[in-house]
Amino acid sequence: MENLRSRLRLGSKVEDVQLRKRSETYGYLTWEWKAGIRGFTYPLFFAFLYKILHLLNYDTVYLLIWLPRIVQTLLAAFADVKFFLLIRTLETEDVARWTFFCQLCSWFSWFCCTRTLTNTTETTLTCLALFYFPLPGSKTYSSKKYLSLVALAVVVRPTALIIWFPLLMYHFWQEENKLRLITHSCIPIGMLAVLISALIDCLFYEKWTLVQFNFIKFNILHGVADFYGSHPWHWYFTQGFAVVIGPHLPFFLHGCGLAFRKYKMVLATVLWTVVVYSLLPHKEFRFIYPVLPFCMIFCGISLAHLKAWRRVAAALLLVSNLVLALYTGLIHQRGTLDVMSHLQKLCEVSRDSSRPQSDVLFLMPCHSTPFYSHVHCPLKMRFLECPPDLGEDGYFEEAAQFYNNPLLWLRTSFPYKSSQPTHLVLFDVLEKEISTFLQGNNFTRTTEIFHTHVPEGRVGGSIFIYERH
């Protein structure tokens, strides 16, 4: 699955926001926050929830992990209901029900909708905005409401403008009073959104920062996103889109043939979004997640027209998606989450002043695991960093240096036993290469955790925790 879980985890850095407990400040900020390309508006929502838990003295590690997921799930469920109500105004009750069925059984939606990714919130807000968008036949149209939701989506993730650009142009073209639309809706809502976002970011960055501009400058103009991998231009057409839509693909193609004329604007939006993202070198499955609800309209129409084989097709669709959702959600690449539960137990050791303080080093590709949000204590932890070259003096990529010669890096970085970490976390594929360092410094494997059935490159099938004795 091409490190699907690892790729998706890179999207939102909510857990990188500093946490506070017992007047001790700890945490980790990735380079994106230092470069000013991440906005505080979205993480501030979860920080507010964390603060409530803190004030109620319920800020346990379990609630810190699960509450954001539950809230994200409730928002996604609300958007799904709104999507169903929209289709019911556009189509028959039968088509609306089958579209809703397709939306609910999408494996990729199951995989993403509970995650605190900006792409997830972008998709949720897109669904809600679509409810108020002036689609032909829609009875729930409200320009101010849908433009406000679009503006919020762009604040959360600036790339939301990609999927909404053709829809905004369509609305402008169809609108009779174009001047009023611009002066009474577009400009006021857009300026208010930018102003509020800028004020929030300036407050936390402690300087004037326009995150949306920085996001475009670094990722598109400077091509910083390419540092984290690139794919050929056709990747979304040949692999990415098929994986995201999954078993729905034949129903989507069938539905396009049936409803092309009626929903040509919806189909054009899907095609436009995939084409634009195809022009960018760095590609990930989650980037095109927001087009999924658009595709479900065609899937629902397809199922509604399958009179003879409808039940069989629906059963196959549900079972195939269920298998994918359960496997990718509960089994595939789960080790990087499970390992944090083991490390969280070290917090009790850290609180005991009579015992040596734990010091954890992750010898894995950078950002393989969650971080302080999954331990919720000032445990000393460190991972191999991999910031892109932003033109700063003395730049080096720690992760690349390590993997060029792991044994040399370890011997150079920790020449004395007193400077060595107490725990090492690594994938099984690295064990043999650094075995002499592990044996020579009395590191003993204490835990083995399953990660994936499909190891690839530096990502192994299992994760090992080594402890120094």
Side-chain angles (χ1 to χ4, degrees):
M1 297 295 291
E2 199 171 329
N3 296 330
L4 186 57
R5 188 184 295 276
S6 299
R7 286 174 169 272
L8 288 168
R9 192 177 294 114
L10 295 178
S12 175
K13 297 293 190 296
V14 172
E15 69 206 12
D16 293 327
V17 177
Q18 290 184 319
L19 306 173
R20 183 179 297 273
K21 185 178 181 182
R22 296 192 309 277
S23 72
E24 290 181 288
T25 301
Y26 56 94
Y28 178 84
L29 290 176
T30 60
W31 70 269
E32 294 99 328
W33 295 97
K34 299 169 186 176
I37 68 170
R38 290 284 183 259
F40 280 90
T41 306
Y42 180 55
L44 191 61
F45 172 68
F46 295 100
F48 176 72
L49 298 178
Y50 284 174
K51 191 62 178 179
I52 293 175
L53 291 178
H54 173 70
L55 294 174
L56 297 175
N57 202 27
Y58 280 107
D59 55 334
T60 65
V61 67
Y62 302 104
L63 284 177
L64 289 181
I65 294 171
W66 285 101
L67 183 61
R69 297 181 187 180
I70 293 171
V71 171
Q72 199 80 54
T73 303
L74 293 175
L75 291 174
F78 178 68
D80 286 344
V81 172
K82 282 287 189 180
F83 183 66
F84 167 70
L85 295 176
L86 169 66
I87 303 304
R88 199 164 62 173
T89 66
L90 301 175
E91 293 286 347
T92 63
E93 186 75 18
D94 191 43
V95 171
R97 287 178 179 176
W98 284 113
T99 302
F100 192 47
F101 169 79
C102 291
Q103 174 78 348
L104 293 182
C105 72
S106 167
W107 82 272
F108 199 75
S109 289
W110 285 29
F111 186 80
C112 290
C113 72
T114 63
R115 301 173 187 273
T116 52
L117 299 164
T118 51
N119 306 91
T120 300
T121 302
E122 177 191 358
T123 303
T124 298
L125 291 172
T126 294
C127 256
L128 293 174
L130 204 59
F131 180 78
Y132 299 106
F133 184 78
L135 287 169
S138 174
K139 300 173 183 177
T140 57
Y141 162 60
S142 172
S143 61
K144 285 185 171 60
K145 288 182 180 179
Y146 102 78
L147 286 170
S148 298
L149 290 165
V150 170
L152 181 56
V154 173
V155 167
V156 170
R157 188 168 181 85
T159 52
L161 196 58
I162 293 175
I163 193 172
W164 277 102
F165 179 77
L167 293 171
L168 292 170
M169 292 299 101
Y170 169 80
H171 181 197
F172 179 76
W173 182 262
Q174 296 293 323
E175 183 65 32
E176 293 182 2
N177 196 335
K178 294 178 174 56
L179 182 62
R180 181 179 176 82
L181 175 66
I182 294 174
T183 57
H184 286 65
S185 297
C186 295
I187 292 178
I189 291 172
M191 289 184 65
L192 184 62
V194 171
L195 180 62
I196 293 174
S197 172
L199 287 175
I200 292 174
D201 291 329
C202 291
L203 177 65
F204 287 95
Y205 277 115
E206 298 181 344
K207 62 180 180 180
W208 284 104
T209 304
L210 190 59
V211 166
Q212 290 74 26
F213 172 75
N214 291 340
F215 185 91
I216 295 171
K217 181 179 73 172
F218 278 94
N219 286 306
I220 298 177
L221 301 181
H222 293 174
V224 171
D226 306 358
F227 177 81
Y228 294 103
S230 60
H231 292 81
W233 67 268
H234 56 75
W235 186 81
Y236 281 121
F237 291 97
T238 56
Q239 299 179 52
F241 182 76
V243 169
V244 170
I245 199 169
H248 288 76
L249 182 58
F251 301 99
F252 169 72
L253 296 176
H254 178 228
C256 288
L258 294 171
F260 168 77
R261 293 186 180 276
K262 184 175 183 179
Y263 292 107
K264 56 186 176 183
M265 190 61 232
V266 174
L267 186 59
T269 301
V270 173
L271 185 61
W272 158 269
T273 304
V274 175
V275 167
V276 171
Y277 276 114
S278 295
L279 299 177
L280 303 176
H282 182 62
K283 300 175 177 65
E284 295 187 32
F285 297 113
R286 62 188 173 94
F287 290 170
I288 59 171
Y289 178 31
V291 305
L292 207 51
F294 293 78
C295 298
M296 293 305 141
I297 298 174
F298 298 99
C299 295
I301 291 172
S302 171
L303 275 175
H305 280 75
L306 293 177
K307 302 298 183 182
W309 296 93
R310 181 190 294 177
R311 290 184 179 275
V312 175
L316 289 173
L317 190 64
L318 177 61
V319 171
S320 57
N321 275 280
L322 187 63
V323 170
L324 283 171
L326 292 176
Y327 180 76
T328 56
L330 299 176
I331 300 173
H332 181 60
Q333 294 189 348
R334 63 170 296 153
T336 49
L337 293 175
D338 292 341
V339 72
M340 300 309 294
S341 299
H342 289 270
L343 296 177
Q344 203 276 330
K345 298 173 184 176
L346 297 176
C347 290
E348 296 300 324
V349 177
S350 297
R351 294 188 185 104
D352 188 350
S353 58
S354 63
R355 300 177 64 179
Q357 296 298 295
S358 299
D359 183 354
V360 182
L361 173 62
F362 294 87
L363 297 176
M364 314 167 82
C366 59
H367 305 298
S368 291
T369 68
F371 218 43
Y372 280 103
S373 64
H374 281 236
V375 294
H376 194 40
C377 75
L379 177 67
K380 188 176 181 182
M381 298 192 298
R382 181 189 163 200
F383 62 88
L384 302 172
E385 296 190 354
C386 58
D389 186 2
L390 301 178
E392 298 175 353
D393 294 335
Y395 167 80
F396 70 94
E397 186 195 340
E398 187 178 40
Q401 286 190 346
F402 170 77
Y403 281 107
N404 283 338
N405 194 329
L407 203 55
L408 177 62
W409 186 91
L410 286 168
R411 287 171 175 168
T412 305
S413 301
F414 307 107
Y416 308 107
K417 281 196 174 184
S418 58
S419 63
Q420 294 174 1
T422 59
H423 295 77
L424 295 175
V425 182
L426 56 132
F427 284 112
D428 54 359
V429 292
L430 183 65
E431 183 185 43
K432 185 177 180 180
E433 198 166 353
I434 63 171
S435 59
T436 54
F437 177 84
L438 297 173
Q439 294 167 7
N441 292 281
N442 298 322
F443 278 96
T444 304
R445 189 203 300 174
T446 57
T447 308
E448 179 177 353
I449 302 167
F450 168 78
H451 181 59
T452 179
H453 292 113
V454 191
E456 180 183 3
R458 296 169 180 173
V459 178
S462 299
I463 295 175
F464 297 152
I465 298 179
Y466 273 82
E467 183 176 356
R468 180 165 55 86
H469 296 282

